[in-house]
Amino acid sequence: MRTHKAAACLVITGALLAGCSDDGDKDGAGDGMVTVEFKVTGDSPASVYIPGINSDVYTGKKNSNGDTDLDLDEVKTPWSKKFKVKPGRSLSLQTGSVDPKKEIGCQIFVNGKLMDEETKKNKPGSTLTASCTSSTSG
C-alpha cells in the first residue's frame, strides 16, 4: 500500500510540475520553431520579396519546386503571411509599388512582437520601396 501511495504522489507531483513549466515557446507549438509574420501595408498593388524563406535552412523542410525565395507581383495590399522559422535566422522583406496612391510599408513580427517597420510616402511620379530586416533570435 505504501508503494502505491508513493507512486501516486510522484505521478501527481510530476503532472503539476509539467503543467507549470515554461518552455519559452510563445505560440504553444512546442516544436522549437519561431512564428514570423511578414506584412505589407499600402493602398495599391505591390511586389513582395522575401529571400530564402522557402528554404530548408529557414523552415527545416525541403521545397519540392526548388524556389527558396518568395517573390510575388501585383499583391493586393494590405497583405500578410506567417511562416514557422528556425531560431537564429536573418529576416528580410522588400516591397515596392510602381503606382502608389499614398504609401507603401512593411512590417516584420517575431512571435507576435513587432521587430521592424518602414513606411514610405508617395512623391508624384515616383516608385516607392520599403525594406524591413530582423532576425529570429529576438
Side-chain angles (χ1 to χ4, degrees), residues 37-41 91 93 95 103-110 113-120 129-134:
E37 184 174 14
F38 296 94
K39 289 186 176 185
V40 175
T41 59
L91 305 169
L93 167 60
T95 186
E103 65 185 31
I104 190 83
C106 62
Q107 298 174 320
I108 297 177
F109 292 82
V110 176
K113 180 181 175 189
L114 179 62
M115 302 302 286
D116 192 25
E117 68 179 325
E118 180 177 56
T119 301
K120 295 286 183 91
T129 60
S131 177
C132 293
T133 59
S134 187

Side-chain angles (χ1 to χ4, degrees), residues 9-23:
C9 284
L10 284 175
V11 169
I12 291 170
T13 302
L16 289 173
L17 289 174
C20 295
S21 70
D22 179 11
D23 61 3

Side-chain angles (χ1 to χ4, degrees), residues 72-134:
L72 306 171
D73 290 318
E74 297 295 315
V75 173
K76 183 179 177 183
T77 57
W79 174 90
S80 71
K81 183 147 177 88
K82 289 184 180 181
F83 294 89
K84 291 291 205 162
V85 177
K86 292 179 181 179
R89 302 296 182 245
S90 295
L91 305 169
S92 177
L93 167 60
Q94 298 155 21
T95 186
S97 179
V98 294
D99 189 26
K101 293 181 177 81
K102 293 183 183 176
E103 65 185 31
I104 190 83
C106 62
Q107 298 174 320
I108 297 177
F109 292 82
V110 176
N111 285 336
K113 180 181 175 189
L114 179 62
M115 302 302 286
D116 192 25
E117 68 179 325
E118 180 177 56
T119 301
K120 295 286 183 91
K121 302 287 184 184
N122 190 18
K123 295 175 184 151
S126 67
T127 297
L128 290 181
T129 60
S131 177
C132 293
T133 59
S134 187

Side-chain angles (χ1 to χ4, degrees), residues 12-71:
I12 291 170
T13 302
L16 289 173
L17 289 174
C20 295
S21 70
D22 179 11
D23 61 3
D25 190 358
K26 302 276 190 239
D27 64 4
D31 57 6
M33 302 291 271
V34 176
T35 301
V36 175
E37 184 174 14
F38 296 94
K39 289 186 176 185
V40 175
T41 59
D43 52 14
S44 58
S47 60
V48 175
Y49 181 66
I50 306 172
I53 197 66
N54 290 322
S55 72
D56 64 334
V57 172
Y58 280 78
T59 63
K61 300 175 191 170
K62 294 269 186 200
N63 188 339
S64 61
N65 66 6
D67 293 335
T68 60
D69 303 336
L70 181 66
D71 193 0

